[in-house]
Amino acid sequence: MLKKIACTGIGAAMLAGLVFGTDAYSYIATTASRVGENVKNNVPVEFELDRARKMIQDLTPEIRRNMHLIAKEEVEVEKLQTRVADLQGKLTSSKADIVRLKNDLDTGSTYFTYAGHEYSRNAVQTDLAGRFERFKTQDATRVKLESILRAREQGLEAARAKLDGMLTARRQLEVDVENLEARQKMVEVAQTSSKFAFDDSHLSKTKRLIDDIRTRIDVAERMVDVDGELSGEIPLDESVVTDISNEVASYFGLEVEEDSDEAIVEIDTNAAEKLTGRIDLSHHLN
C-alpha cells in the first residue's frame, strides 16, 4: 500500500514537472496552501472553540509542573537561607573568640588561662592562627553561599512571576473563549431569525377580506345617496334660468349686456310660437 502511494506521488510529481517545468514546485506549493486554507475555513466555529478549550485545558499539566518546580525551589532556597544564617552565627562567634585571643596576646603575657587551663604564649598564637584561617575560609564560603542564595531567590521570583503570568493568561484565554462563544451564539440567533419565514397567508387573506367588506360598505353607502336623489321628490323651488353669456362674462371679468335677459325671453317666446304653430299645423293635417 505504501509502495503504491509512493509510486503515485512520484508519478504526480514527474507529471507536474513535465507540465509546468521549473515552476512546478511553485504551483504545487500554492495549490497545497489553497487546499489547506479551504479546509481550515470549512471547519465549523463550534469545533474550533472546542479545540481552543481543549488547548486551554492542556495548559494545566504544564502549570502544575511549574508549580511543582517552584515549590521544590522554595524548599531549597529555605534550606540555603538556613545554612547561610547558621554560618553567619558561627562566624560571629568565631570572630569574637579571635578578637579575644588577639587582645590577650597584645597584653604581652607569657601564660594565659582559659577554662581553668593554662596555655603558653606560643600555644595561644598557634590556636589564634588556626582559628583565623578557618574563619577566613568560612567567611569566603558565606560570601559564595549568599551569592548563590541571591541568584536562586531572583530565579524563584522570576519563576513565580512567570507562573502568575501563565495563570493570568489562562484565565484571559478562558474569558476570551467564553466571549467568542457568546458572540457565536448571537450570530447563530441572527442567522436563524433572518432565515425564519412566517406563514402569513392566513393573515393576508384576512386583510383582503376586511378590505372587501370595507369596499362593499362604501359602495352601499354611495348607492343609498344615489337612490335618495332618484326618489322623485316634489321640487319646492322654481328652476332658475341662467344666461351662459353672463356666466362667461362674470368668470372672465367681462362687461355684461343689460338686454341679455330680454334676449333670452324673446328667444324663448319665439320658440314657443314656433312650437305652437307646429302643433296647430299637425292638428289640421290630421
Side-chain angles (χ1 to χ4, degrees), residues 13-31:
M14 293 177 63
L15 180 60
L18 293 175
V19 174
F20 300 108
T22 57
D23 296 330
Y25 177 77
S26 176
Y27 281 103
I28 294 174
T30 303
T31 302

Side-chain angles (χ1 to χ4, degrees), residues 16-144:
L18 293 175
V19 174
F20 300 108
T22 57
D23 296 330
Y25 177 77
S26 176
Y27 281 103
I28 294 174
T30 303
T31 302
S33 177
R34 288 194 175 185
V35 170
E37 291 179 358
N38 291 333
V39 171
K40 185 176 181 180
N41 292 332
N42 290 328
V43 176
V45 176
E46 292 80 4
F47 180 82
E48 294 287 35
L49 288 173
D50 292 339
R51 181 165 165 259
R53 278 191 289 266
K54 179 63 169 58
M55 294 178 68
I56 292 174
Q57 292 176 357
D58 291 341
L59 292 174
T60 301
E62 183 178 356
I63 292 175
R64 293 187 65 85
R65 284 194 298 269
N66 291 332
M67 293 175 66
H68 178 74
L69 292 175
I70 290 174
K72 184 177 179 180
E73 184 64 14
E74 287 175 347
V75 172
E76 294 296 331
V77 167
E78 289 176 358
K79 290 169 61 177
L80 187 57
Q81 288 173 344
T82 302
R83 183 179 175 186
V84 170
D86 293 341
L87 184 57
Q88 182 64 47
K90 292 179 180 179
L91 288 172
T92 301
S93 177
S94 297
K95 180 180 179 180
D97 293 340
I98 289 171
V99 172
R100 178 183 175 183
L101 292 174
K102 185 262 183 190
N103 291 333
D104 291 342
L105 289 173
D106 290 341
T107 61
S109 298
T110 304
Y111 293 97
F112 304 92
T113 301
Y114 301 104
H117 298 281
E118 188 177 89
Y119 299 94
S120 64
R121 185 179 182 84
N122 290 333
V124 173
Q125 288 178 340
T126 302
D127 184 71
L128 177 60
R131 287 173 182 267
F132 185 56
E133 287 297 326
R134 289 193 298 273
F135 178 85
K136 291 191 292 184
T137 301
Q138 292 176 350
D139 190 46
T141 302
R142 177 191 62 81
V143 172
K144 291 181 179 180

Side-chain angles (χ1 to χ4, degrees), residues 208-255:
R208 287 195 299 270
L209 176 60
I210 298 298
D211 187 63
D212 292 341
I213 295 172
R214 184 182 296 108
T215 301
R216 292 180 61 183
I217 293 176
D218 292 340
V219 172
E221 289 176 347
R222 294 197 180 189
M223 291 301 298
V224 169
D225 294 337
V226 172
D227 292 339
E229 293 177 356
L230 300 177
S231 60
E233 295 178 347
I234 298 174
L236 302 179
D237 298 324
E238 295 181 357
S239 59
V240 179
V241 179
T242 59
D243 186 2
I244 188 61
S245 298
N246 291 340
E247 290 185 5
V248 172
S250 176
Y251 184 84
F252 291 104
L254 303 177
E255 294 181 358

Side-chain angles (χ1 to χ4, degrees), residues 256-270:
V256 180
E257 296 181 358
E258 296 179 356
D259 56 348
S260 59
D261 293 337
E262 296 179 357
I264 294 174
V265 174
E266 184 178 357
I267 292 173
D268 292 340
T269 302
N270 294 334

